[in-house]
Amino acid sequence: MNFLVGFILCVSGGQEKESFWFFYAILEKSQQEIPFDGLSGFFETEFPVLMQYLAVFKELFEEFIPDLFNHFQNEMVPDQMWIHKWFMTCFLYSFPMGLCLRIWDNLLAFGTRFMFNICLAILNLLKD
């Protein structure tokens, strides 16, 4: 969670109170019409939401980019090396801040399920 909080603090210009409430809001499932599902399940014991997202992503990865999926399987690339980090840090661990800002804009606009689109797009662009 430190990546998320640090990013939020940087973006807010160090406004601690604003950052706290924003972080709280993205952890909790939204009760409004915003499509954001909340990230608290990514950090709960046994990571229930993270495990669901990983299972769904694996199916989508195999369906939409089968050649790269098979390559990862043949090379025995463990999910913990990359996709866990992408999801748990909302891409902050692996990408520059400018790209992360664009990714977060989309996550906030379209919801956390948009992570699947982002992952597939990145993999598709870099598969060669």
Side-chain angles (χ1 to χ4, degrees):
M1 286 193 268
N2 61 334
F3 282 94
L4 303 178
V5 173
F7 178 73
I8 294 166
L9 277 167
C10 286
V11 171
S12 73
Q15 299 292 318
E16 292 178 12
K17 188 175 181 180
E18 178 183 305
S19 297
F20 171 81
W21 287 112
F22 180 75
F23 183 62
Y24 175 80
I26 65 169
L27 284 179
E28 297 303 315
K29 184 173 181 155
S30 177
Q31 300 299 320
Q32 301 169 6
E33 294 183 18
I34 300 169
F36 205 78
D37 292 330
L39 297 176
S40 63
F42 277 36
F43 305 104
E44 291 174 2
T45 305
E46 298 184 20
F47 311 105
V49 174
L50 177 64
M51 293 303 139
Q52 288 175 345
Y53 273 54
L54 293 172
V56 169
F57 173 73
K58 207 162 197 165
E59 289 178 25
L60 293 171
F61 186 21
E62 185 175 15
E63 180 181 343
F64 288 102
I65 315 174
D67 52 336
L68 186 60
F69 177 82
N70 291 330
H71 177 68
F72 276 34
Q73 296 297 310
N74 293 338
E75 296 298 321
M76 294 184 278
V77 176
D79 295 339
Q80 294 84 352
M81 283 184 67
W82 64 286
I83 195 64
H84 283 83
K85 290 178 185 177
W86 285 10
F87 283 147
M88 286 194 75
T89 66
C90 294
F91 305 94
L92 296 171
Y93 183 82
S94 304
F95 300 103
M97 188 153 182
L99 178 59
C100 289
L101 286 169
R102 289 185 180 93
I103 289 172
W104 274 55
D105 283 346
N106 285 292
L107 290 176
L108 294 171
F110 301 112
T112 52
R113 293 188 182 116
F114 196 70
M115 285 183 173
F116 303 124
N117 300 48
I118 295 165
C119 291
L120 292 172
I122 291 169
L123 289 172
N124 203 29
L125 285 170
L126 301 175
K127 72 179 180 180
D128 291 337

